[in-house]
Amino acid sequence: MNALLAEMIAEARLLPGLDILSLPEALQVTGPDVTWDGPYYSRLLAEAYAFGADRLARLRFGPGEEPEAGLRAALRRAEAQLEDRLRQAVLTEERDRLQAEAAALHAALARAEVTLAGTQAALATVRAELATTQAAMVEMAALQAHLAVARGELAEMRRERDSLRAAAARHPLARLRRALGVGTEAADPALPRV
Amino acid sequence: MLLIGACSLHELIGNLAGRLHKSQLWRRPTIALMAPALPDSAVGTLAAPPEVERYVRDDLRKVHLAAIAANGSDALVFEFIRDIATGVLRLGESWIANPSELIGLPGGGTIPSDPSGMLRMLGLESAPPMLSFRDDAFLETWREGSGGSARRCWSRGCGAVAGSSSTMRAIPAVPSGSRAPPGGTPGWSPG
């Protein structure tokens, strides 16, 4: 293709009143990685277009035109764009770091919430068990009080029984029966056994 | 300033935006540009986006040389990459640009790049002969168009050719957008 272009340009040089504006081939980017969708894997750098525009401006506006002003402007633009990309890269890196930190914090918070929920459930269980135990203790105290009362009543009944037995033993009829030998072979079934 | 070319020229001139008034003929390969006119019946019923249809009709009628002469620009800038990137079709005794290679034509919509799509677009039943820069006959055909036909045309005063510095004169800078959109008017064609 370049050979063909060279022949075409050579042919064009034969035409009158024609200025040839050519660009260095070194400014051409070539290869399958060039990002452009044309039929050929070649493209000029932005600076190369600016270089060509400078040459055209000198042809168009005369020799007083500042040489390569557009190229210098294009280089300054490229430099500014590069700095901007670098700044964006730094910002992106900082943003990614902060996002990672935030994600870690969110994960830790989620874990803590799970742990807290488990602890609260365990605490509720303990509280329920404690309430049950306390209720049982109250019931047990009431039973003990009843038991103490019953024991007191039982002791009173025993004392009364013993008193009645002693009184019965001292009764004249009892002395008579002992003298007669009656009723000594078996206990009186009417008396309670304790 | 009148431009004939594709994206390379478009981008190059974009660096001078605001300093000159410009119009651009999109691609218009030399062989088709310099070929004789054809009747509209040389193609069938066109099934193309409006901008492509206008492009093909103007190409058949070969309206551009007269329009270039009447344009009033004091310089014509053209590039040869358009001849490489845009093949031509043989119709009768003439040539037209291969419309399936008009990549980047503003308003062109989706242009089919396969031969059958191109045939449908032109309403043709059979594929016309094509000529690309890879063909042996390309350079001679191009030479006839750019050299022989161009010389004959220019000798009759058909149009101005890329101005030499001695014939150039300064044009007042035109505020961007006042007469032409930034970067010119790709696809501009008279008529």
Side-chain angles (χ1 to χ4, degrees):
Chain A
M1 188 176 83
N2 286 335
L4 177 62
L5 274 173
E7 284 197 66
M8 294 164 77
I9 291 170
E11 184 77 20
R13 287 186 191 282
L14 301 176
L15 297 173
L18 195 70
D19 289 308
I20 305 293
L21 195 159
S22 60
L23 300 177
E25 200 172 324
L27 293 178
Q28 200 175 49
V29 180
T30 298
D33 295 330
V34 174
T35 53
W36 111 283
D37 57 0
Y40 312 108
Y41 292 126
S42 288
R43 195 164 200 192
L44 292 169
L45 294 166
E47 290 77 11
Y49 288 119
F51 188 58
D54 283 333
R55 290 189 170 189
L56 181 62
R58 282 178 69 78
L59 280 175
R60 183 67 192 80
F61 301 117
E65 185 73 10
E66 183 187 0
E68 299 175 2
L71 177 59
R72 281 198 294 275
L75 290 172
R76 281 196 297 273
R77 281 197 301 273
E79 188 179 20
Q81 286 172 355
L82 178 61
E83 288 176 357
D84 190 51
R85 281 203 296 273
L86 286 172
R87 191 162 50 249
Q88 290 298 327
V90 171
L91 290 176
T92 302
E93 193 176 328
E94 177 70 7
R95 183 200 62 198
D96 291 346
R97 190 181 64 75
L98 289 175
Q99 283 180 339
E101 282 185 11
L105 284 173
H106 280 303
L109 182 61
R111 285 195 301 273
E113 284 177 349
V114 170
T115 304
L116 181 61
T119 304
Q120 284 176 333
L123 183 60
T125 304
V126 169
R127 280 179 176 158
E129 289 174 353
L130 182 60
T132 304
T133 304
Q134 286 175 335
M137 287 174 70
V138 169
E139 191 175 354
M140 186 178 289
L143 288 173
Q144 284 175 338
H146 280 298
L147 182 59
V149 170
R151 280 178 175 160
E153 289 176 350
L154 180 58
E156 182 61 27
M157 288 172 66
R158 280 176 173 164
R159 280 193 298 275
E160 190 175 352
R161 179 199 65 189
D162 293 343
S163 175
L164 287 173
R165 278 181 176 168
R170 289 191 302 271
H171 197 276
L173 186 55
R175 285 197 300 270
L176 178 62
R177 289 179 70 174
R178 281 195 298 271
L180 293 176
V182 179
T184 56
E185 65 277 7
D188 186 350
L191 293 175
R193 290 183 176 276
V194 178
Chain B
M1 182 175 285
L2 182 60
L3 316 173
I4 305 178
C7 52
S8 297
L9 192 54
H10 184 63
E11 292 200 33
L12 189 150
I13 292 295
N15 285 271
L16 298 175
R19 298 187 65 186
L20 42 79
H21 176 61
K22 55 192 178 298
S23 298
Q24 182 168 4
L25 285 170
W26 192 255
R27 296 203 171 190
R28 300 294 178 191
T30 302
I31 295 173
L33 188 66
M34 304 305 297
L38 286 164
D40 284 0
S41 59
V43 295
T45 302
L46 295 175
E51 192 62 26
V52 177
E53 181 171 343
R54 190 164 75 106
Y55 191 100
V56 174
R57 291 287 178 210
D58 288 348
D59 203 0
L60 290 169
R61 297 165 186 164
K62 306 301 177 189
V63 300
H64 297 109
L65 291 181
I68 290 169
N71 179 263
S73 295
D74 61 351
L76 173 66
V77 180
F78 56 91
E79 38 93 332
F80 293 151
I81 291 294
R82 77 188 200 285
D83 289 325
I84 300 290
T86 314
V88 289
L89 307 178
R90 185 70 169 169
L91 290 180
E93 297 299 315
S94 187
W95 300 95
I96 67 167
N98 184 346
S100 65
E101 294 181 340
L102 297 180
I103 297 167
L105 177 68
T110 302
I111 300 174
S113 57
D114 59 305
S116 60
M118 184 267 290
L119 285 179
R120 283 196 305 275
M121 192 161 57
L122 293 178
L124 297 174
E125 294 181 356
S126 60
M130 300 184 200
L131 185 67
S132 88
F133 79 95
R134 295 183 178 85
D135 297 315
D136 293 338
F138 175 83
L139 186 59
E140 192 54 41
T141 310
W142 178 87
R143 188 176 282 133
E144 168 61 22
S146 62
S149 299
R151 281 201 190 90
R152 286 194 294 277
C153 180
W154 294 333
S155 67
R156 297 195 304 271
C158 282
V161 181
S164 65
S165 56
S166 61
T167 61
M168 285 184 178
R169 60 183 174 79
I171 295 178
V174 177
S176 177
S178 62
R179 291 180 64 194
T185 312
W188 170 87
S189 63

